Amino acid sequence: MRVVLALSLILALNAPAHANPCQGRNLIKALPPADLSALRALAEVPFAKGNLWQAHKDGQEMILVGTYHLADPRFDDILATLDPIS
């Protein structure tokens, strides 16, 4: 339920940005060709667009949106805590 509330809050705070679209310069089009090529190569990375997980149990639903990078050392403590239940 907290995740749904958090996502709702993020979407609500972001709504004014969608109501008045940015009229600024397109920075992607302004990139040098080599940088633009490198950026486009990122689209080939697995899960480059993120993931959507949904869990349902006892009439409740949880939705998680994003990516997760298990090799990131900042998650070592969290993964160590979860190891006994995995």
Side-chain angles (χ1 to χ4, degrees):
M1 185 64 173
R2 289 182 190 171
V3 172
V4 173
L5 181 60
L7 287 174
S8 298
L9 181 59
I10 290 168
L11 291 173
L13 292 174
N14 199 21
H18 291 290
N20 298 313
C22 177
Q23 300 298 317
R25 192 177 96 191
N26 184 334
L27 296 177
I28 292 178
K29 288 183 179 180
L31 285 173
D35 291 345
L36 183 57
S37 190
L39 181 63
R40 286 188 174 138
L42 292 175
E44 303 302 318
V45 174
F47 310 113
K49 294 182 181 178
N51 293 307
L52 170 68
W53 292 278
Q54 292 178 291
H56 303 268
K57 183 177 180 181
D58 299 330
Q60 294 189 346
E61 178 180 30
M62 178 173 58
I63 300 172
L64 298 173
V65 179
T67 61
Y68 190 76
H69 306 276
L70 296 175
D72 189 326
R74 294 175 292 177
F75 293 106
D76 288 350
D77 291 340
I78 294 168
L79 292 174
T81 301
L82 295 174
D83 192 44
I85 60 172
S86 62

